[in-house]
Amino acid sequence: MKISYNTWPYSSFFVWVPAYTLDETIKRVAALGYDGIEIGAAAPHAFPAHLTPARRREVRKLLDEHGIDLSSMLPAPSGGPGNNPASPCSEERKHTIAHYKELIELTAEWGGKTLIYLPGWQIYGTTRRQAWQWSREALTEIAQTAGEHGITLVIEPTAHDSNLCESADDAIELMEDVSSEAVKLMFDTFHVIYRRDVITDYVYRMGQNLRHVHVSDNDRLPPGAGSADFPAFVDALIDIGYDGYLTMETGFHRRGISPDQDAREGLEYLRPLVQSKLQERAAQ
């Protein structure tokens, strides 16, 4: 298991400040000792329309120079362009599909293998059945492009922020509906905590289809700073043979948080925990 850090706390999304360039963010995350970096596709970092071919090459070179891998990418949800695959607006759905296809190409160009799929949200006046169908159709089309580029799409249930795909079972259902080798699963511990569910249940429920994890304590705190049972979480990951990234998605929910401090505290807690649990298993 490798550990990565999400760029939201450095990128002015969702909160506008503090904000840093992608170049500065890569340097800082690498210097802190992370194995990988998860890049969010929002300005000022990685909104595809803002990236010239030369700029894309610069970013790939910067990642290589600092010895840090692109663990994953994710779209910027809501806002002006929307990016809601379940929207009743057909133009928005088409834009969302095109956005994901751009991100597939960008992920591959930067050496990544994983792109997060957010199933969207049901808007008043649309039935859940219809919203689900639109999201499924979008994911089916996106998955074809992902497969062509060797990218895995991982469905994220987001209970705190949305109303369409909220649980492990929801994500599994959508994956099975699409039935593509390019579509697997992930979850964010923050959303599980919000639902008052048990984190380890998600690990075992998703099993071999679990390909990515967002790690966050309650209130988007670094792991170990809140109430979640992360020792049991790591034990469960070892049980299923998980070898993907553990990606911190913390510290972007309000102004006044130091991204460097947030990233450092999370890594200082999680890496020793993972190492000790692996050593315990090896000794058994």
Side-chain angles (χ1 to χ4, degrees):
M1 285 181 274
K2 295 183 179 180
I3 302 177
S4 67
Y5 193 76
N6 179 285
T7 57
W8 290 150
Y10 290 97
S11 72
S12 71
F13 181 85
F14 300 100
V15 180
W16 297 339
V17 290
Y20 302 82
T21 65
L22 180 57
D23 299 46
E24 181 69 18
T25 302
I26 290 172
K27 293 175 184 177
R28 291 184 181 217
V29 173
L32 286 166
Y34 278 88
D35 305 304
I37 186 169
E38 179 176 276
I39 299 178
H45 284 183
F47 191 66
H50 299 173
L51 301 171
T52 64
R55 175 58 181 158
R56 293 170 185 237
R57 290 191 295 270
E58 287 177 1
V59 172
R60 178 60 189 267
K61 183 179 178 182
L62 195 63
L63 290 168
D64 292 341
E65 287 177 347
H66 288 273
I68 191 166
D69 293 328
L70 177 66
S71 65
S72 41
M73 288 198 71
L74 71 166
S78 70
N83 294 329
N84 180 6
S87 171
C89 174
S90 62
E91 290 79 9
E92 183 178 359
R93 297 197 303 274
K94 291 176 183 177
H95 178 278
T96 301
I97 292 169
H99 178 63
Y100 272 101
K101 290 181 178 180
E102 289 179 325
L103 292 184
I104 288 167
E105 295 178 357
L106 187 59
T107 301
E109 192 171 349
W110 286 348
K113 297 294 183 182
T114 303
L115 174 61
I116 295 170
Y117 178 75
L118 302 178
W121 53 99
Q122 179 185 354
I123 292 177
Y124 178 79
T126 301
T127 65
R128 186 182 188 281
R129 183 187 297 271
Q130 179 63 82
W132 188 269
Q133 178 182 336
W134 282 329
S135 186
R136 175 179 53 78
E137 290 172 351
L139 180 55
T140 300
E141 181 175 343
I142 296 163
Q144 182 174 346
T145 301
E148 293 168 357
H149 288 78
I151 300 298
T152 299
L153 296 163
V154 288
I155 301 169
E156 179 180 9
T158 50
H160 182 269
D161 305 326
S162 66
N163 59 0
L164 187 61
C165 182
E166 298 189 37
S167 68
D169 286 340
D170 288 341
I172 291 168
E173 181 182 356
L174 184 57
M175 178 190 70
E176 292 177 345
D177 283 354
V178 173
S179 187
S180 166
E181 285 301 313
V183 178
K184 298 299 179 181
L185 304 171
M186 69 160 290
F187 70 90
D188 184 330
T189 58
F190 169 76
H191 292 288
V192 180
I193 294 167
Y194 172 79
R195 277 179 58 89
R196 303 295 192 269
D197 286 344
V198 179
I199 295 172
T200 54
D201 289 353
Y202 276 59
V203 175
Y204 295 122
R205 185 76 179 87
M206 293 184 173
Q208 296 303 308
N209 290 310
L210 178 63
R211 299 298 176 86
H212 192 63
V213 180
H214 277 167
V215 180
S216 172
D217 222 316
N218 53 280
D219 299 326
R220 286 290 179 200
L221 294 169
S227 60
D229 186 358
F230 285 106
F233 166 67
V234 174
D235 276 331
L237 291 173
I238 296 173
D239 284 343
I240 69 166
Y242 181 79
D243 61 358
Y245 274 95
L246 305 178
T247 298
M248 309 284 186
E249 196 184 45
T250 56
F252 64 89
H253 59 299
R254 62 178 174 84
R255 182 174 177 168
I257 292 174
S258 166
D260 289 345
Q261 180 182 4
D262 183 271
R264 183 175 58 253
E265 289 179 355
L267 188 61
E268 288 176 349
Y269 172 81
L270 192 59
R271 193 182 295 284
L273 175 61
V274 171
Q275 290 174 343
S276 67
K277 289 293 184 180
L278 289 171
Q279 289 170 358
E280 287 177 9
R281 292 301 181 93
Q284 291 177 356

